[in-house]
Amino acid sequence: MALSRLTSRSNGISRPLSTAFGRFISTDTTPITIETSLPFTAHLCDPPSRSVESSTQELLDFFRTMALMRRMEIAADSLYKAKLIRGFCHLYDGQEAVAIGMEAVITKKDAIITAYRDHCIFLGRGGSLYEVFAELMGRQDGCSKGKGGSMHFYKKDSSFYGGHGIVGAQVPLGCGIAFAQKYVKEEAVTFAMYGDGAANQGQLFEALNISALWDLPSILVCENNHYGMGTAEWRAAKSPSYYKRGDYVPGLKVDGMDAFAVKQACKFAKEHALKNGPIILEMDTYRYHGHSMSDPGSTYRTRDEISGVRQERDPIERIKKLVLSHDLATEKELKDMEKEIRKEVDDAIAKAKDCSMPEPSELFTNVYVKGFGTKSFGADRKEVKAALP
Amino acid sequence: MWGILRRSAVDGGGGFSASSLRRTRFALVSARSYAAGSKEMTVRDALNSAIDEEMSADPKVFVMGEEVGQYQGAYKITKGLLEKYGPERVYDTPITEAGFTGIGVGAAYAGLKPVVEFMTFNFSMQAIDHIINSAAKSNYMSAGQINVPIVFRGPNGAAAGVGAQHSQCYAAWYASVPGLKVLAPYSAEDARGLLKAAIRDPDPVVFLENELLYGESFPISEEALDSSFCLPIGKAKIEREGKDVTITTFSKMVGFVLKAAEKLAEEGISAEVINLRSIRPLDRATINASVRKTSRLVTVEEGFPQHGVCAEICASVVEESFSYLDAPVERIAGADVPMPYAANLERLALPQVEDIVRAAKRACYRSK
């Protein structure tokens, strides 16, 4: 059955996730049409159909990848509490459908840029679990060689431009990447992701204005998880209809807990942006964790609300129900898959724990591309100095 | 004989009022001096030609900023570029620095080479997060995956009578940030060579021009007019050799210091004038070598004194050449006040030639 073929292919810790999609390798692409849970709400455009083209393979891939993302984030929670991850750690569990649905309809030439809740986006772009955990623990095999940390994951060869710590900054940057794509006539788009908190940033509107003026292929994706850190959306935004905030720019409101709705919306947005310039997608989503590991997440929302969403709208549960109802796998097979995923994640963590920290000389690397041998200094400049290559 | 020739050449090259007699002597001296003498160029034309040549050589280079296109540039630095290269290479932006600077940095992430103009660097404060957090630090945070080959350029420092919000010098602020390169040209040759180097550079460069220098003419050599001409980043230029006191400075103040050096020469003090050209990387080697020769240092800048470029130079010299100093380091900087409007107060707020002369004499233990 499709599932056994899938499980036999799933070995190895640092295997890029794209092969798990099986988009290119799978032999079972029996088409399935899935109805989105909710209709789309449109602003200045005609919403796409609620019927989403998919396949048995895609359904299984969605389940597997989201389960992997979920497991990765939960494991990061434990590592943070064990003090192996330092500083800031912003977890994405609950929001997996956005990352998955987007990846399903774009290429590696389409670009993604996001803020600091970036672990799952990185994984979706082809990053490995090992690179994730090594970076989180500040080891030299991390995707940023241990020098970035949780908020600064990048994968340029997959057009993933980070990983940004300053709220809102990633949106003009993303519009700039879209500018470059148009400049070189690449026929690709950029998804600039931001949250409901960042949606109020002035620079966002500046970038949107320019994108609309210059017809840039930028897609602004507001991951509305309804809380900007500890501030609920109704306390931060006079108008929390983020999909309408573009005014003259069309927008679509999407059930962000439904991977197929996300997929359909992103497909629609890509077609739109290539022809007509910017568009806003508002993904109605939810994060189970607090804003970061320093935030319990329960002082500004009730535990009932959190468990309510988990019961009614969990994105993985939704896919699981679809898999079961389409007879693509049994409960046991899915449980086995989850066990396998757990092991994959544990193995990656074990390997990352064994990885060494960066060499002290790495303090002085990558300051410049071309340093001209200029001197840089440590805390005691008479003791520690280096020539930047 | 050669000594006399060289001195004339250096004197002549120091100012932009060289006599024709000195110019003839020029031709006999090595290429280390200024121009072969026959051509002059304004700083404005120098910058314009530099951008033009780099746009011609590399299709990834584009210009972006307020009024850079149809208006021909607020200070005419980008004159003619829109007509020559079209609206796909020269972009007029709305007055939204945070937005368009972020877009410029994003374009650089994706491999283009933007030249972003700030109408003055005072407005760069609206975009400073992108210059520092999005541009300067990216290569480091990404361990080399994302480099940012962008140039931020525009007039910096005081103009004339433009008041407190339009007169600040940002050299010290930007030069304190690892990951940025900060350049400050003085002459037309500086402007051409440094801007071409900046545009070709794979790292983010803050290019600090000066509005009052745009219209000034300087002799320019054939070498500097060549389209392949580039000046090295991180190297200062000794504008005038001397043996009694080292005076360092950059941008418009170079002209003031050279005038001060003339006055000092009349009183028997031989000043060595260093045009920094590059604030970051700072050419500590050249500065210290000079101080070890003269034993005295006066540092000059137009910007606010506290935590300024002069403070860094003083620290460097005290750390590396302490035993060579025969006098405390002297610092001439802008007044520690917001820039006033009234002409007399503005004059008091900025370094003048007499201030530099006085400081040099103090360093030489000469009374007034």
Side-chain angles (χ1 to χ4, degrees), chain B residues 321-358:
Chain B
S321 309
F322 183 70
S323 53
Y324 293 82
L325 284 169
D326 282 348
V329 174
E330 293 283 346
R331 209 171 23 156
I332 295 294
D336 208 4
V337 297
M339 183 66 67
Y341 166 66
N344 62 327
L345 294 182
E346 186 181 59
R347 196 179 186 285
L348 286 173
L350 290 167
Q352 304 299 335
V353 175
E354 56 260 31
D355 296 313
I356 303 165
V357 170
R358 192 186 316 113

Side-chain angles (χ1 to χ4, degrees), chain A residues 113 135 143-145 147-149 152 154-157 160-164 166 168-177 179-185 203 206-207 209-211 213-214 216 362-372 374-377 381-382, chain B residues 59-62 64 88-89 91-112 129-130 133-134 136 138-147 177-181 200-203 233 280-282 284 312 318-320:
Chain A
I113 191 169
E135 186 61 35
C143 52
S144 300
K145 305 220 185 97
K147 288 164 73 165
H152 304 297
Y154 304 84
K155 197 162 166 58
K156 187 152 186 206
D157 56 17
F160 174 51
Y161 289 93
H164 292 269
I166 307 297
Q170 74 276 17
V171 176
L173 294 171
C175 294
I177 297 165
F179 175 95
Q181 289 169 324
K182 182 169 180 171
Y183 190 98
V184 301
K185 301 183 171 41
Q203 58 184 320
E206 295 186 15
N209 178 44
I210 294 178
S211 298
L213 269 174
W214 297 351
L216 303 182
E362 287 291 329
L363 183 66
F364 294 108
T365 58
N366 307 124
V367 176
Y368 295 124
V369 173
K370 249 197 196 169
F372 308 111
T374 193
K375 286 250 175 57
S376 184
F377 305 96
R381 56 206 288 136
K382 297 203 169 161
Chain B
K60 295 207 167 103
V61 177
F62 71 95
M64 187 163 79
E88 312 234 308
R89 303 283 300 282
Y91 290 84
D92 280 322
T93 63
I95 309 174
T96 54
E97 276 77 4
F100 72 70
T101 307
I103 286 178
V105 175
Y109 280 4
L112 298 185
D129 176 63
H130 281 298
N133 281 323
S134 304
S138 282
N139 199 54
Y140 193 84
M141 290 193 295
S142 70
Q145 273 191 75
I146 314 273
N147 74 304
V177 180
L180 281 183
K181 290 169 179 166
R200 293 181 199 183
D201 198 277
D203 295 308
I233 291 178
R280 184 174 188 107
L282 189 62
R284 299 168 207 274
E312 174 63 29
V318 164
E319 281 163 353
E320 295 182 44

Side-chain angles (χ1 to χ4, degrees), chain B residues 269-322:
Chain B
I269 297 177
S270 152
E272 179 145 290
V273 178
I274 299 183
N275 170 7
L276 294 175
R277 281 180 166 175
S278 181
I279 318 296
R280 184 174 188 107
L282 189 62
D283 191 350
R284 299 168 207 274
T286 297
I287 297 166
N288 277 280
S290 174
V291 172
R292 288 178 184 212
K293 186 172 77 169
T294 64
S295 316
R296 295 159 208 282
L297 175 64
V298 176
T299 68
V300 180
E301 71 182 308
E302 195 186 83
F304 296 139
Q306 190 163 338
H307 310 297
V309 176
C310 291
E312 174 63 29
I313 292 174
C314 175
S316 173
V317 163
V318 164
E319 281 163 353
E320 295 182 44
S321 309
F322 183 70

Side-chain angles (χ1 to χ4, degrees), chain A residues 28 114 196 218 240 334 349:
Chain A
D28 190 347
T114 187
D196 47 290
S218 14
L334 293 181
I349 292 174

Side-chain angles (χ1 to χ4, degrees), chain B residues 66-128:
Chain B
E66 294 154 13
E67 312 296 359
V68 295
Q70 278 186 24
Y71 195 85
Q72 305 297 314
Y75 299 101
K76 305 292 177 269
I77 307 301
T78 52
K79 184 167 186 211
L81 295 179
L82 176 63
E83 287 67 33
K84 183 166 179 186
Y85 294 101
E88 312 234 308
R89 303 283 300 282
V90 180
Y91 290 84
D92 280 322
T93 63
I95 309 174
T96 54
E97 276 77 4
F100 72 70
T101 307
I103 286 178
V105 175
Y109 280 4
L112 298 185
K113 303 184 102 178
V115 178
V116 176
E117 177 172 304
F118 291 117
M119 201 179 281
T120 77
F121 266 92
N122 301 283
F123 314 140
S124 74
M125 290 199 287
Q126 305 221 305
I128 200 166

